[in-house]
Amino acid sequence: MARYTCSFLLSINFEQLLPLVVELLQECSLNVMYYTSDYVMAREIPGTVPFSKLVTVEALIDKSTATETETRMSIVMKNEELPLQVENHCRQLFEYIKEAIEHSRHWHLIESLAG
């Protein structure tokens, strides 16, 4: 199973972040399947890649450390594909989503830590 993670420290209020993350994932051609006040789960829309390569994205927003101006968020992206190549489908989508988060006009990126 391919799995990639990254944490971000963003200059945005916790309450403003969730709807913007949902919007960002939808703009990246992902289907938001479920969300709560601090969690979003989205998945690639079937039809463009084999089922085993469909990527699931989980965004976790850390309410416990959030301040009025900063919020920490982590993303986990995974699929059933064995990561036999460095440039596999999951990794490519991870880099695309990571870049979209880092360059979003809705917040300022303070820190990004890939795992």
Side-chain angles (χ1 to χ4, degrees), residues 1-2 43-44 46-56 78-83 88-90:
M1 175 193 290
R43 188 164 191 183
E44 264 188 297
T48 57
V49 296
F51 187 76
S52 65
K53 290 186 177 187
L54 290 176
V55 175
T56 300
K78 57 190 172 186
N79 69 3
E80 298 300 320
E81 175 185 25
L82 291 175
N88 60 66
H89 177 69
C90 190

Side-chain angles (χ1 to χ4, degrees), residues 52 57-58 76 87 101 114:
S52 65
V57 179
E58 295 178 283
V76 177
E87 287 300 316
I101 292 169

Side-chain angles (χ1 to χ4, degrees), residues 55-71:
V55 175
T56 300
V57 179
E58 295 178 283
L60 300 105
I61 302 168
D62 188 353
K63 292 194 295 189
S64 64
T65 61
T67 67
E68 285 293 316
T69 58
E70 294 180 355
T71 305

Side-chain angles (χ1 to χ4, degrees), residues 95-106:
E95 292 297 335
Y96 176 70
I97 300 294
K98 183 175 172 265
E99 187 174 311
I101 292 169
E102 291 174 345
H103 297 102
S104 174
R105 62 182 169 80
H106 297 294

